[in-house]
Amino acid sequence: MNKIKLIIAREYLTRVKKKSFIIMTILAPVLLAALMVVPTLIAVRTMESQKQMNILVIDENDFFINKLEDSSFAVFTYRSGEVEEFKKELFTGNYDALLHIIKGDAVLRANLFYAKDPPSRLESNLVKELNKHLFDRLLIETFNIDPQEFERYKNTTQATITSIKIDEQGNEKASFAEVSKIVGMVSGIIIYFFIFMCAQQVLRGVLEEKTNRIIEVLISSVKPMQLMLGKIVGVAMVGLTQFVLWVVLTFALVFGVGLVMPNLLAGDSEMIQTAMQNQMAVGGGNMGDGNTQPLQNTVDMEQFLAQNSIFEQIQNYFNFSFTALLLCFLFYFIFGYLIYASLYAAVGSAVDAETDSQQFLLPVTVPLILTIILFMPITEDPSGSLALWMSMIPLTSPVAMMMRLPSGVPLYELLISMSLCVLFFFCCVWLAAKIYRIGILTYGKKTTWKDLGKWLRY
């Protein structure tokens, strides 16, 4: 055991002291924070910098005269006459665009002339404005209905479906399915990349020691099994250290930007509140505490968000516990990595160069890659047969189960999946050790699948 600890310490300290580890540990959170903040900052600055468009309107139908409403994106001026005469106005700086509404009764057609490209949203906003007035005219002339009355009736006759999940005790909890899917996909993809990244480090470490003949010195004092386990655990600790630092530093950077520019993410906050109000039932009482009263739509969402922490919001409104999700993430990350790292270590010991390892790695990596390819059907139907079986097979369960968890997974399925992962890990270590103890001292010979079969029988 002491020798394994020494190997773990050596693998861990050697890697965390490398310049590449330090640079990536600092650079990755900066890039992640930038991906979260910069797009919002650019969008806000772009909207602020967009000027109000001066649009000249020539309506051959005389219906839209003085009806198009001025807004933050456009101011309308109405003229009459030939279109060709007013096109020159676009080059004088008086107008940014010319809207020519062509005469017609059946179908309304219009042309938008401009000298400089306008904002992309201008055309869509103009279409909405024209359609609104056309529909209002249809209501008045054809059905003799006042447009304001129509809007009032339309707003009071809308159906709303609220997804509410019921547990075995009969407690009700509003469901926010879209967020659950996003959280599941993000968790699964993170585990996928970390498993491959850390397992690849094990492979390269074994190949490096084998190529430099350092392994011959190490084998003289420790058993191959101890060396392999020490290397696997040491790299796992490096990966966990880097992951924790990335999470802490990323949130620290985003939080710092939020303190400096508190209004930066206001737009995102409003969109989240709107989505939550549309997707879930908001109501009196604390959700998830057994309250079965009908949920009301009159609760002030802003007040709720201000009075509850993000963890309480997740606990109250989503199908999963944040603490349980974090613990399961750590479990599947650790055992998913241990399974693949042991297989990668076995492959690394059996070959002399990384290019020779691809033939053996392909059958190992295909199941995990297949899980990422099938992430859409898994997240769309987390209780379906495909998602269920992929979350049970140890080679795919680390990613597939994390995709299912935010949508809710029965406890017995989770325990079975975890148990299979643990058992499969011990089987992988046993098989990898058989290959490792022979392959690590094999040089100058191209290993085949037949050779691996012989080593497993020794």
Side-chain angles (χ1 to χ4, degrees), residues 208-252:
E208 182 181 356
E209 291 176 351
K210 183 177 179 179
T211 304
N212 297 334
R213 299 298 179 97
I214 300 174
I215 197 70
E216 297 177 5
V217 179
L218 295 175
I219 290 296
S220 63
S221 57
V222 296
K223 295 179 180 179
M225 181 72 167
Q226 293 175 325
L227 181 60
M228 187 184 72
L229 286 177
K231 186 175 291 293
I232 291 173
V233 175
V235 175
M237 292 176 63
V238 174
L240 284 174
T241 301
Q242 194 168 52
F243 176 75
V244 171
L245 290 175
W246 282 357
V247 172
V248 172
L249 292 176
T250 300
F251 278 99

Side-chain angles (χ1 to χ4, degrees), residues 39 42 245 293 312 421:
I42 292 175
L245 290 175
Q293 297 180 357
E312 291 172 332
C421 268

Side-chain angles (χ1 to χ4, degrees), residues 45 89 269 306 371 398 402 445:
R45 292 291 181 265
E89 296 283 344
S269 177
T371 313
M402 287 308 305
K445 180 180 180 297

Side-chain angles (χ1 to χ4, degrees), residues 139-155:
L139 290 175
I140 295 172
E141 295 180 356
T142 305
F143 300 102
N144 195 25
I145 299 176
D146 181 59
Q148 293 183 353
E149 284 290 309
F150 175 81
E151 286 295 326
R152 185 171 65 84
Y153 286 129
K154 186 176 73 172
N155 293 332

Side-chain angles (χ1 to χ4, degrees), residues 402-458:
M402 287 308 305
M403 290 180 176
R404 291 185 61 203
L405 272 174
S407 300
V409 175
L411 181 59
Y412 75 91
E413 291 185 8
L414 181 62
L415 294 178
I416 292 174
S417 175
M418 288 181 169
S419 301
L420 291 174
C421 268
V422 175
L423 292 174
F424 191 72
F425 162 66
F426 286 111
C427 292
C428 287
V429 170
W430 179 74
L431 293 173
K434 282 181 163 293
I435 297 174
Y436 192 90
R437 65 192 176 95
I438 299 175
I440 200 67
L441 297 175
T442 302
Y443 298 96
K445 180 180 180 297
K446 193 172 181 65
T447 306
T448 63
W449 286 101
K450 185 177 180 180
D451 295 328
L452 294 183
K454 290 180 180 179
W455 297 350
L456 289 174
R457 292 194 295 269
Y458 287 160

Side-chain angles (χ1 to χ4, degrees), residues 150-164:
F150 175 81
E151 286 295 326
R152 185 171 65 84
Y153 286 129
K154 186 176 73 172
N155 293 332
T156 56
T157 56
Q158 292 182 346
T160 301
I161 296 179
T162 301
S163 299
I164 300 178

Side-chain angles (χ1 to χ4, degrees), residues 77-257:
T77 303
Y78 304 90
R79 303 281 290 274
S80 60
E82 294 295 327
V83 177
E84 298 299 327
E85 298 178 3
F86 295 104
K87 287 182 180 179
K88 299 178 181 179
E89 296 283 344
L90 299 176
F91 299 95
T92 62
N94 295 329
Y95 301 103
D96 300 302
L98 169 61
L99 179 63
H100 176 214
I101 303 175
I102 303 172
K103 189 174 183 62
D105 295 326
V107 179
L108 180 69
R109 295 176 56 247
N111 295 323
L112 183 66
F113 299 96
Y114 52 84
K116 296 180 179 179
D117 289 347
S120 58
R121 64 191 179 112
L122 175 63
E123 185 176 341
S124 61
N125 287 335
L126 289 174
V127 170
K128 290 179 182 178
E129 188 76 11
L130 295 176
N131 287 340
K132 178 180 180 300
H133 290 289
L134 285 174
F135 188 73
D136 290 346
R137 184 174 71 173
L138 177 66
L139 290 175
I140 295 172
E141 295 180 356
T142 305
F143 300 102
N144 195 25
I145 299 176
D146 181 59
Q148 293 183 353
E149 284 290 309
F150 175 81
E151 286 295 326
R152 185 171 65 84
Y153 286 129
K154 186 176 73 172
N155 293 332
T156 56
T157 56
Q158 292 182 346
T160 301
I161 296 179
T162 301
S163 299
I164 300 178
K165 189 168 184 176
I166 303 177
D167 59 21
E168 295 180 355
Q169 288 73 35
N171 298 326
E172 298 179 0
K173 178 180 288 189
S175 175
F176 195 31
E178 294 303 320
V179 170
S180 298
K181 292 177 184 177
I182 293 172
V183 172
M185 285 189 291
V186 171
S187 301
I189 291 172
I190 290 175
I191 284 186
Y192 170 81
F193 282 110
F194 263 88
I195 285 176
F196 273 136
M197 184 176 66
C198 295
Q200 196 70 27
Q201 290 185 35
V202 174
L203 174 68
R204 290 174 180 171
V206 172
L207 281 172
E208 182 181 356
E209 291 176 351
K210 183 177 179 179
T211 304
N212 297 334
R213 299 298 179 97
I214 300 174
I215 197 70
E216 297 177 5
V217 179
L218 295 175
I219 290 296
S220 63
S221 57
V222 296
K223 295 179 180 179
M225 181 72 167
Q226 293 175 325
L227 181 60
M228 187 184 72
L229 286 177
K231 186 175 291 293
I232 291 173
V233 175
V235 175
M237 292 176 63
V238 174
L240 284 174
T241 301
Q242 194 168 52
F243 176 75
V244 171
L245 290 175
W246 282 357
V247 172
V248 172
L249 292 176
T250 300
F251 278 99
L253 288 172
V254 174
F255 181 74
V257 172

